[in-house]
Amino acid sequence: MSNPAVEQAVWEEIERVLGQASSARPAVLDPHLQDDLGLDSVMVIELKCRLELRYPALRDVPLSDVLSGATTVGRLAGRVERLAGLAAT
């Protein structure tokens, strides 16, 4: 389970990429980035760039490493947390 603050940050950046307010979040508990939210490849690149601004440690991490197994918002938040060095040890 990811840090709630990291998951919130990921949600905020997804909403910016999609141009939607938080009130438009799907009712799905842990939505799939492509199937439920409709993120395409260009949007995913934009999302990574936005996350790099929040978490500079991600700048040196290839997109494929950030997305490895991160098919849902929760999984992406977990990857961001680990790759940015925010995970509890």
Side-chain angles (χ1 to χ4, degrees):
M1 183 170 197
S2 61
N3 177 320
V6 175
E7 190 159 344
Q8 179 61 31
V10 168
W11 263 116
E12 289 171 4
E13 297 306 339
I14 288 171
E15 289 162 352
R16 285 186 178 99
V17 168
L18 292 173
Q20 297 178 345
S22 60
S23 60
R25 286 185 187 176
V28 177
L29 183 60
D30 190 19
H32 191 276
L33 297 172
Q34 292 176 323
D35 296 342
D36 297 322
L37 300 177
L39 289 177
D40 62 26
S41 58
V42 174
M43 291 173 168
V44 169
I45 293 169
E46 182 180 351
L47 176 59
K48 183 182 185 283
C49 291
R50 290 181 170 280
L51 290 170
E52 288 174 353
L53 293 174
R54 283 192 187 232
Y55 305 106
L58 295 179
R59 291 180 182 147
D60 297 327
V61 180
L63 176 64
S64 59
D65 288 350
V66 173
L67 294 177
S68 179
T71 55
T72 66
V73 174
R75 288 182 179 177
L76 178 57
R79 293 286 300 158
V80 167
E81 183 177 2
R82 283 187 295 282
L83 294 170
L86 303 171
T89 56

